[in-house]
Each structure stands twice: as C-alpha cells, then as structure tokens.
Amino acid sequence: MRIFVSNLPTDTTDHELRRLFSRFGKVVKSWIVEDHETGEGRGHGFVEMTMAEAKNAIRIMDRSWFKSSRINVQKSRFTPGRGRRDRRDSNERPAREPREQANFSASRT
C-alpha cells in the first residue's frame, strides 16, 4: 500500500522518511517530492509498505509531530500516469478544431 505523507518540513530527506516509517515494518520504497528547479523538498512524500503495516502506520502517525511539524498521513490516491507532468508532456492529444467565429459586423436596423 502506498502512503501519502504531507506537511513535512522542506528539509526532510528520503532517508529520514524511511526511518520514520521503518518502525512499523519493512519500507519497500519511500521518496520525497522535490521542486524540479531548486531540488528542495515540497513538503510531502510517499512510503510503500504492506497493507497491514501501512494501516497501522497511518493510524499511529497521522497528526503526529515530526521535526516540529504536525504531519498528515493517509492512504495515497496516487495513480501512475495521471500526474500533471504526464498530461503536460503528452503529445497524443488530438488537435482542436478551430471554432467558427460569429459574424457581428452586420448592422442592426
């Protein structure tokens, strides 16, 4: 199960996030979402664990304190291939047909 963790301090590292959740079981994968230009954390990340471990982690960690921030922990609604970057970079969109312009130049009498 993938867990979404928000309201993280921007200086949080992948390693810190992994350590934070490893007490609940084996962390399969974890990552911090970073700003593409600055490389700084954007304040949220993801953790992948087994279903039972993830549910326990969510129950205990939601609204807990981490590095002076109250973090939010919930089941992720992330769906691969549905991010903003995928839509923006997609060249598969059909071209839009130009709209017909109404002719308002006719005089009214």
Side-chain angles (χ1 to χ4, degrees), residues 1-59:
M1 171 189 262
R2 185 171 286 162
I3 301 170
F4 176 68
V5 185
S6 61
N7 203 37
L8 290 165
T10 56
D11 64 345
T12 303
T13 65
D14 292 336
H15 179 71
E16 289 173 321
L17 186 61
R18 179 177 289 270
R19 271 188 53 202
L20 182 65
F21 283 86
S22 65
R23 70 181 195 182
F24 300 101
K26 182 180 180 197
V27 174
V28 176
K29 187 176 179 181
S30 66
W31 68 96
I32 298 291
V33 178
E34 297 177 342
D35 183 276
H36 293 293
E37 293 179 15
T38 66
E40 185 177 73
R42 296 187 65 190
H44 58 276
F46 295 91
V47 178
E48 289 184 3
M49 308 176 79
T50 67
M51 182 75 72
E53 294 168 342
K55 285 183 177 182
N56 189 38
I58 291 169
R59 185 177 55 79

